[in-house]
Amino acid sequence: MGASLAAMAAVAEASASGTEAIAAVRSLLDRLLRVTLSDNRVLLGRFSCFDKQRNVLLSDTWEQRFAEGETVPSPPREPDFERNIGLVLVPWRHIVSVYAMEEDEHS
């Protein structure tokens, strides 16, 4: 199931009547997210929260890098580089895409 930051952005801007947007973001809590950054790095981590500035907090995060110019190759393959970076706050301005992964999608 793909997810975009639109739901997160909607909650950040929602008034008290934005219950649907809030429910959408709550459904992502503790889900495994794949976040693609503007420098082509990919972060795989559990969604913990986001703040008023729409920065995303991920826990149990792994950074992945692929060959020059590739974000997530098709078909998926092992990354060229991978490391555990733990808890990370990702600035909104560096996020290109967010995808909510199923548990069996990541080995």
Side-chain angles (χ1 to χ4, degrees), residues 5 9-10 16-17 25 31 33-34 36 68-69 91 95 101 103 107:
L5 289 179
S17 64
V25 171
R31 292 273 310 270
L33 297 184
R34 182 179 71 215
T36 304
E68 185 74 27
I95 297 175
M101 300 177 65
E103 291 300 322
S107 51

Side-chain angles (χ1 to χ4, degrees), residues 67-94:
E68 185 74 27
E70 275 187 295
T71 50
V72 179
S74 184
R77 64 172 173 77
E78 290 296 314
D80 297 319
F81 174 81
E82 184 175 47
R83 69 178 174 157
N84 185 325
I85 55 175
L87 188 66
V88 63
L89 181 67
V90 185
W92 168 262
R93 68 183 178 274
H94 296 298

Side-chain angles (χ1 to χ4, degrees), residues 3-15 18 20-22 24-26 28 33 47 49-56 92-93 95 98:
S4 70
L5 289 179
M8 292 183 208
V11 171
E13 298 170 0
S15 65
E20 287 180 27
I22 292 169
V25 171
R26 281 190 178 153
L28 294 174
L33 297 184
F47 175 60
C49 68
F50 72 97
D51 59 18
K52 277 175 68 172
Q53 293 78 28
R54 300 183 207 138
N55 301 316
V56 176
W92 168 262
R93 68 183 178 274
I95 297 175
V98 175

